[in-house]
Amino acid sequence: MHNLLPLVSIVIPFYNQNEIFLQECLLSALLQTYPNIEVIASDNHSNNGCDRVALELASYYAQLCIVRPKSHLSMCAHFSFAIAQSSGDYITLLCSDDIFDLDHVSRLVNPLTMHEDISMACSLPFQGFQPNSARPKSNITSGIYSSYDFAHLALISHVCSLGATIFRKDRFLAVGGLSAEYYYAFDVDLLFKLMFSGYVYFDSSPTAFIRLWDRADQRNRQKKHIIDIIHIFDALLARKFPLNMYAALEIRLLNLLIIPLLKLVF
């Protein structure tokens, strides 16, 4: 019977990930309550042995497919490659150090199947999760939002992350997919492109849990994020938003928004 449900692809690109993090990530995808899924785990030529975790799980779970590009790719190119291997009408991206609630797909795919004008469905991302910690809840009401209304909320309230989103694959292709001009913040760019391609469904309770931890290249990543996000904001202000919507947002406020937003991107 589950074959009557639309196929949802959970796409997990990984490279030299912590083995425990990767195992937790993959299991959170494989154990989804929504029955018709495929899990695409793409190994960007890891050399620390973490690929063994994925290969072992693939021997137990038929819905897990391990893929690998011909050579090591940039982060954006690798995400694009991994998405291209998917077969589902709907896609959700999961970073290899994060996890999904087991009902992530079932909670977010239903609005997409019921309303063709919704381009993406997202939940409040839970940042810096710890076992048994209290879950946050947004004061923004769950429901369907217009592109401009939700984009405004996403900028000022930090309620959106690509890692807590399911989107239509045809809409992803229609907006041009991921933009290679951004080194790290290609996910933020895609979020806004998807927002402006249709309505957005928002679930005020988290279904995705974003792990915050110290990386060896953290400072370098943050610098490149800031450069990317400034360019994205400039493009939004120049082309996307009515000027009166941002009459109250001065440049100094935009600068303050950059750091919190960094915590929501891959």
Side-chain angles (χ1 to χ4, degrees):
M1 285 295 291
H2 70 258
N3 289 329
L4 298 176
L5 297 171
L7 178 65
V8 176
S9 300
I10 303 175
V11 178
I12 306 174
F14 69 92
Y15 173 67
N16 283 356
Q17 187 54 266
N18 176 292
E19 291 186 18
I20 294 176
F21 293 173
L22 181 59
Q23 183 179 59
E24 292 175 347
C25 169
L26 291 169
L27 285 172
S28 78
L30 292 165
L31 299 177
Q32 288 292 303
T33 58
Y34 185 84
N36 197 18
I37 63 167
E38 65 172 9
V39 179
I40 306 294
S42 182
D43 174 22
N44 198 12
H45 293 265
S46 299
N47 54 33
N48 70 341
C50 71
D51 55 323
R52 291 193 299 266
V53 172
L55 291 170
E56 182 177 357
L57 286 174
S59 67
Y60 292 98
Y61 294 94
Q63 65 268 49
L64 175 57
C65 176
I66 311 298
V67 298
R68 177 184 271 197
K70 291 182 179 179
S71 60
H72 181 80
L73 301 174
S74 69
M75 185 182 293
C76 182
H78 184 217
F79 271 67
S80 294
F81 167 82
I83 292 171
Q85 312 312 305
S86 65
S87 303
D89 294 325
Y90 303 96
I91 296 172
T92 182
L93 287 167
L94 178 58
C95 273
S96 58
D97 54 352
D98 298 336
I99 63 173
F100 282 156
D101 228 5
L102 298 188
D103 62 352
H104 167 78
V105 172
S106 61
R107 277 172 55 186
L108 295 185
V109 75
N110 286 337
L112 287 163
T113 60
M114 295 173 63
H115 302 277
E116 292 186 0
D117 52 353
I118 294 177
S119 60
M120 69 179 209
C122 61
S123 69
L124 180 72
F126 188 177
Q127 303 173 58
F129 67 93
Q130 296 294 333
N132 303 317
S133 56
R135 298 189 180 196
K137 188 173 179 64
S138 176
N139 56 6
I140 298 171
T141 305
S142 298
I144 299 173
Y145 289 82
S146 71
S147 298
Y148 286 103
D149 286 346
F150 192 76
H152 181 62
L153 292 173
L155 278 173
I156 65 174
S157 301
H158 319 125
V159 295
C160 191
S161 166
L162 192 63
T165 300
I166 295 182
F167 53 88
R168 298 180 185 277
K169 188 172 186 179
D170 60 355
R171 205 66 59 89
F172 168 81
L173 296 173
V175 301
L178 298 173
S179 177
E181 68 179 288
Y182 300 116
Y183 193 87
Y184 280 126
F186 53 83
D187 57 325
V188 178
D189 177 65
L190 177 61
L191 272 174
F192 284 111
K193 289 193 294 189
L194 288 170
M195 285 181 202
F196 289 111
S197 71
Y199 286 83
V200 177
Y201 174 80
F202 175 68
D203 188 322
S204 63
S205 296
T207 65
F209 303 90
I210 298 172
R211 193 187 306 266
L212 301 182
W213 56 289
D214 292 332
R215 307 170 191 261
D217 62 343
Q218 188 70 19
R219 185 178 296 275
N220 186 49
R221 289 167 64 96
Q222 287 183 344
K223 288 179 180 178
K224 291 180 178 179
H225 268 308
I226 290 173
I227 293 170
D228 283 353
I229 291 175
I230 288 174
H231 290 162
I232 291 168
F233 282 3
D234 284 345
L236 288 170
L237 289 170
R239 300 193 300 270
K240 299 293 187 182
F241 287 101
L243 292 178
N244 59 355
M245 178 177 287
Y246 275 89
L249 281 179
E250 300 174 353
I251 294 299
R252 62 182 176 82
L253 180 54
L254 286 178
N255 289 336
L256 290 175
L257 287 172
I258 290 173
I259 300 305
L261 193 58
L262 288 179
K263 297 179 180 178
L264 299 185
V265 297
F266 300 127

